[in-house]
Amino acid sequence: MEIPYIVNARKDTGLNNSKIAIWLFLASEVMLFGGLFSSYIFLRIFADYPWPERVLPVLPGLVNTFILIASSVTVVFAWASLKLRNWKGFVGYMSFTIVCALVFMVLKGFEYNAKLHHQAIQYNDWTSIEGHTHPEEHGHGGNFYVIKAEEVNFDLGSYYNPYLDEIINRIGSVKTSVGKDVVINEFDGNKLIQNPLINAGDPINLEGSSDEEGSLRYVLALAKESYLETRKHNEQVKEASLRQAWKNVKSNADGRFNAVQEFTQYDQAKKDAAIEENAKILESGEYGTLVDNKGSFKLAVDGAEIKIKPSWGRMVGAKEGVDSSISLLDKTSIIGKAGDSGMDIDVDAVDHRHLVMKARDRKYSQAKIDEMIEDWYKSLGDSKGADQIRSYWEMHKKWRALWTEELKNEYGLDDDGEPNRVPTDIELYRMTWKNIVAYKEIEKDPELELTLENVKANLPSMIDGFLGANHSKFNVKDDDGHVIEKTRHFPLLHVARQDIKFESVFSPKMNNYYAIYFTVTGLHGLHVIGGALVLGYYLFFGYGMYKENPEWLANRVEVGGLFWHFVDLVWIFVFPIFYLM
Amino acid sequence: MADSPEAIRKSIKLYAFIGSLLFIFTGVTVAVATVPALDFGAHGFDYVDGIIGIAIASFKASLVAVIFMHLNHEKKMIYWIFFGAIALGVSLVLLFAFHFFDPITFDGLLPEGVNQ
């Protein structure tokens, strides 16, 4: 059957099939992105934390905007080339469009990668620091809950093998033994047969597989099987007993409900009777007896240091040396004394705005707010990194005093004698990585004074910070480009776990801003990929259609191009909203 | 829509011109957000900068929609579909917004303490 109106327009609408279809689709896309943009607006208006305003590096967003605009121009040129029956022109313009899509996605990948490797830590007083954490090396670094374990309790119904493997790996060669007797239950009909498998105090081999007799995995596998069998048996006994109990009650054989008149009372009386009857049947053992079923296996560990990723569970008692426990998502619990769960971080930003916001909500005076900020710096202790960060803060305070004065001189005072322009909260309460670099450069050179000009002259350029804080730029390298020394522009801090209110990389978990940022840009990226696939199909497989009916291909490219322009149109809003506001 | 070869050739020049306008206005958007001399309203980001940024973005988006997507000479049905969707989307946002603030006095639009 020939499908009508694939090239020529219907007389009544003046449109062909694909044209009307793409516009209906674009209408649904308007609703989709409209919904997401309105979510952004409401999330921002009602945010109860300082909105991360103008935090994304502008340059990658700007380059991507130029790339999409250029591709929008070339896609329409590709369509015009087809209309002029210029196949080579079409191939050239369409190839450029697809290369643009690829470059756009690669750049987006770099942006995402930079964010997912950038860490933020919020202290209990709401001060936040940002920076790069150290990967685990020679037993140090990384982001872990650390516990000197005395016992590990595995939940037999739900223990998860990757967690088990990690725990075994972390225990290593430390002495372990079985924490309590393990008995295996078997059932011959309703008859219970119990065989001891291993006794409390017995040593246990951690390394062996689940087929190796006497190994932890073997014992856990058998104990799990026994646990599940016993649970099944108990369920069967309970179900049969309850069925019989209700049967007895419903038959009303002893006429016990004859005197009950009220409907509601009758209902309750039946329930009570069923419970009573059930207890009697269970006691009689008519359908078997319930078997005591221990759902856990206890492993005694002689103080092994176990490290667990925070995303795997929750730690109670994080201060080093106190009684502590870690509960994993698979219900495994590790009990012992807390180890050093602190995080090492090269700090590239300090942000007090959340603290200030909370303090203002409580109507604290400015003097009190300043004192709270100073208290945070005092609380950092006396490490080299802490001294450095305090020194930066002193420089920042000088800089903001100079900047306040500069704004006053530049823009004057209003009728009430107040300055027309004052520094923003970001300038006052957030030391960015660019500030830190400038302060370090000034500190290094004894001839440089802290002035507005010198700070400005030493700020890293947009290229240096193409994807945000650039740590590797300042390392000392030899002639071959190998790092000889990591220059500490960015102070190294060790943050104790108990001081941390919240920590996260810059992922959707971080806050609503990053959640909506990743949602919108991720969805937009999927559209770029989808559009590039469709346009690529016309480029690589369209020649046959061009030979058969060039107008048909021109129509298809126009429709694909409409989608591509829409993708560009969405980005035209994404760029200023997420990168510049 | 331009269909004759002459008209297509003519419109190619228009597309190139619109493309360069889009480049220029992208630069303007960034300048307004980053150059201190072009910082309108209060110092730093505030609602004035927001309005300017959205206005420029809307202008750029209109250029794309009107010229590149040929909405300047489209059939009536397309207008109904596309602008109908936009109108419905805006109405839903406003309905949601009016749950939070008074549409006439704008009371409740911004939480207390937000720099207006």
Side-chain angles (χ1 to χ4, degrees):
Chain A
M1 190 188 80
E2 195 176 324
I3 303 170
Y5 314 119
I6 55 172
V7 177
N8 300 318
R10 265 175 73 123
K11 275 187 185 160
D12 50 356
T13 59
L15 297 164
N16 58 44
N17 298 345
S18 51
K19 193 75 172 289
I20 203 161
I22 191 70
W23 278 104
L24 282 169
F25 177 64
L26 292 183
S28 73
E29 293 278 79
V30 166
M31 302 294 283
L32 173 66
F33 280 100
L36 288 169
F37 281 122
S38 66
S39 307
Y40 170 90
I41 293 167
F42 289 107
L43 287 174
R44 181 165 185 163
I45 289 178
F46 296 103
D48 59 354
Y49 56 96
W51 191 253
E53 177 182 300
R54 294 178 173 170
V55 288
L56 302 178
V58 172
L59 212 45
L62 179 63
V63 173
N64 266 347
T65 309
F66 285 146
I67 287 171
L68 275 193
I69 292 173
S71 71
S72 244
V73 175
T74 52
V75 86
V76 80
F77 281 0
W79 166 79
S81 301
L82 282 180
K83 284 289 218 184
L84 296 170
R85 305 293 180 258
N86 173 3
W87 174 255
K88 279 189 180 167
F90 165 73
V91 170
Y93 288 126
M94 196 52 103
S95 305
F96 183 84
T97 307
I98 288 164
V99 169
C100 283
L102 288 176
V103 175
F104 180 94
M105 288 313 296
V106 168
L107 207 48
K108 197 106 277 278
F110 280 119
E111 268 193 86
Y112 278 11
N113 187 52
K115 280 171 190 53
L116 298 178
H117 287 88
H118 201 199
Q119 175 80 38
I121 295 175
Q122 186 164 54
Y123 280 71
N124 288 323
D125 76 343
W126 304 95
T127 290
S128 290
I129 58 173
E130 296 163 19
H132 284 185
T133 48
H134 294 214
E136 190 184 15
E137 226 172 1
H138 313 301
H140 297 287
N143 180 10
F144 296 107
Y145 293 148
V146 182
I147 188 166
K148 292 197 169 30
E150 284 150 20
E151 61 179 78
V152 182
N153 293 296
F154 295 98
D155 185 288
L156 292 174
S158 60
Y159 74 87
Y160 179 53
N161 280 321
Y163 290 1
L164 170 66
D165 294 342
E166 179 64 15
I167 290 169
I168 288 173
N169 183 34
R170 291 287 181 185
I171 292 173
S173 58
V174 174
K175 200 178 139 201
T176 54
S177 60
V178 176
K180 61 182 176 193
D181 299 350
V182 179
V183 176
I184 301 297
N185 296 335
E186 280 174 38
F187 295 91
D188 181 10
N190 270 338
K191 195 179 159 207
L192 170 69
I193 304 157
Q194 290 192 307
N195 297 311
L197 178 67
I198 199 161
N199 296 323
D202 288 352
I204 193 160
N205 162 21
L206 293 187
E207 295 300 324
S209 72
S210 55
D211 298 329
E212 207 170 309
E213 209 167 312
S215 74
L216 175 62
R217 289 184 180 90
Y218 174 82
V219 171
L220 279 173
L222 283 190
K224 180 178 182 174
E225 203 182 331
S226 161
Y227 166 72
L228 295 178
E229 270 301 303
T230 311
R231 194 169 74 177
K232 191 174 154 197
H233 164 84
N234 284 348
E235 293 305 321
Q236 281 169 349
V237 171
K238 280 187 211 164
E239 189 188 328
S241 156
L242 207 53
R243 271 180 193 282
Q244 189 56 51
W246 273 104
K247 221 182 216 172
N248 295 352
V249 168
K250 278 183 178 171
S251 70
N252 197 17
D254 53 3
R256 72 170 100 176
F257 303 123
N258 291 349
V260 182
Q261 295 299 321
E262 283 290 326
F263 180 74
T264 50
Q265 284 177 6
Y266 182 75
D267 216 32
Q268 189 57 45
K270 262 170 72 175
K271 278 182 193 164
D272 293 344
I275 291 167
E276 201 180 301
E277 197 72 18
N278 186 37
K280 266 191 222 162
I281 296 168
L282 280 176
E283 205 179 317
S284 73
E286 190 182 341
Y287 295 100
T289 47
L290 294 177
V291 178
D292 187 24
N293 195 17
K294 298 230 170 15
S296 69
F297 173 81
K298 183 173 167 183
L299 181 73
V301 188
D302 202 4
E305 189 176 84
I306 298 180
K307 294 183 174 184
I308 296 293
K309 289 180 194 168
S311 58
W312 284 12
R314 213 164 73 87
M315 186 178 203
V316 177
K319 192 175 179 182
E320 195 172 355
V322 303
D323 289 339
S324 174
S325 68
I326 300 175
S327 311
L328 303 190
L329 297 174
D330 70 347
K331 295 187 192 165
T332 298
S333 67
I334 308 169
I335 295 165
K337 297 271 183 215
D340 178 7
S341 304
M343 289 172 74
D344 288 331
I345 180 166
D346 290 330
V347 181
D348 58 38
V350 181
D351 197 326
H352 301 290
R353 282 181 301 152
H354 207 161
L355 178 155
V356 173
M357 189 184 196
K358 291 279 171 190
R360 283 178 184 158
D361 284 350
R362 289 165 177 74
K363 314 277 184 221
Y364 287 176
S365 67
Q366 187 58 45
K368 170 80 178 157
I369 293 172
D370 291 340
E371 191 188 319
M372 287 166 75
I373 294 173
E374 294 305 322
D375 284 347
W376 180 79
Y377 285 96
K378 281 180 202 152
S379 75
L380 294 179
D382 51 8
S383 69
K384 197 176 159 193
D387 286 342
Q388 205 176 354
I389 218 163
R390 277 189 285 262
S391 154
Y392 290 153
W393 178 243
E394 289 305 316
M395 294 173 88
H396 190 69
K397 283 194 289 188
K398 278 183 201 156
W399 173 83
R400 59 186 208 175
L402 293 171
W403 181 233
T404 308
E405 200 55 32
E406 170 79 6
L407 285 175
K408 200 157 64 178
N409 294 339
E410 179 105 354
Y411 296 98
L413 304 174
D414 64 13
D415 297 340
D416 301 328
E418 295 295 323
N420 279 318
R421 288 198 169 187
V422 289
T424 61
D425 274 359
I426 298 178
E427 289 164 343
L428 291 173
Y429 300 115
R430 180 178 162 86
M431 270 201 295
T432 65
W433 79 277
K434 291 186 175 186
N435 293 132
I436 287 176
V437 169
Y439 299 152
K440 179 72 182 182
E441 294 298 320
I442 291 170
E443 198 180 48
K444 271 197 314 196
D445 188 344
E447 288 182 11
L448 275 185
E449 267 186 59
L450 194 138
T451 60
L452 288 178
E453 292 72 31
N454 285 342
V455 170
K456 200 174 173 187
N458 284 288
L459 288 174
S461 69
M462 273 175 123
I463 303 282
D464 287 335
F466 185 70
L467 293 169
N470 186 342
H471 287 232
S472 59
K473 178 182 161 55
F474 307 102
N475 291 337
V476 181
K477 293 171 188 160
D478 63 13
D479 294 341
D480 299 330
H482 298 119
V483 176
I484 304 170
E485 188 198 342
K486 286 193 171 179
T487 313
R488 293 252 171 255
H489 270 70
F490 302 111
L492 169 67
L493 272 191
H494 182 77
V495 187
R497 183 67 60 173
Q498 70 271 17
D499 291 339
I500 299 175
K501 182 193 281 295
F502 175 76
E503 57 84 11
S504 168
V505 291
F506 286 75
S507 66
K509 176 189 166 193
M510 178 79 177
N511 54 35
N512 282 338
Y513 170 78
Y514 284 98
I516 193 84
Y517 162 79
F518 277 102
T519 307
V520 171
T521 57
L523 198 60
H524 179 268
L526 287 176
H527 280 69
V528 171
I529 293 170
L533 286 175
V534 171
L535 297 178
Y537 178 81
Y538 298 143
L539 174 64
F540 296 112
F541 302 101
Y543 192 63
M545 196 191 271
Y546 178 72
K547 280 285 159 199
E548 190 188 328
N549 185 349
E551 195 57 23
W552 190 6
L553 182 63
N555 280 359
R556 290 291 173 275
V557 169
E558 189 191 358
V559 165
L562 280 173
F563 176 75
W564 194 254
H565 295 311
F566 183 79
V567 171
D568 181 27
L569 197 145
V570 170
W571 187 261
I572 283 174
F573 285 104
V574 169
F575 175 57
I577 287 176
F578 284 96
Y579 290 77
L580 302 175
M581 293 183 183
Chain B
M1 191 188 310
D3 258 341
S4 68
E6 294 74 36
I8 299 267
R9 279 195 194 91
K10 212 172 151 192
S11 57
I12 285 177
K13 283 183 191 156
L14 175 66
Y15 297 143
F17 173 67
I18 296 298
S20 40
L21 270 187
L22 291 173
F23 274 100
I24 291 166
F25 276 95
T26 303
V28 172
T29 316
V30 175
V32 166
T34 54
V35 177
L38 295 174
D39 183 4
F40 300 99
H43 174 60
F45 177 79
D46 69 337
Y47 76 100
V48 180
D49 302 292
I51 291 170
I52 292 171
I54 294 293
I56 299 173
S58 303
F59 174 66
K60 285 165 63 189
S62 310
L63 288 180
V64 171
V66 171
I67 308 296
F68 287 166
M69 298 170 86
H70 305 137
L71 278 180
N72 52 349
H73 45 234
E74 226 1 306
K75 298 287 177 290
K76 210 187 221 176
M77 183 177 263
I78 301 293
Y79 293 137
W80 277 109
I81 293 171
F82 191 61
F83 293 110
I86 291 177
L88 186 57
V90 170
S91 319
L92 289 175
V93 174
L94 288 180
L95 274 180
F96 190 68
F98 292 162
H99 177 71
F100 292 104
F101 65 85
D102 187 306
I104 296 167
T105 63
F106 293 103
D107 277 356
L109 175 61
L110 295 177
E112 216 179 305
V114 170
N115 181 13
Q116 297 190 44

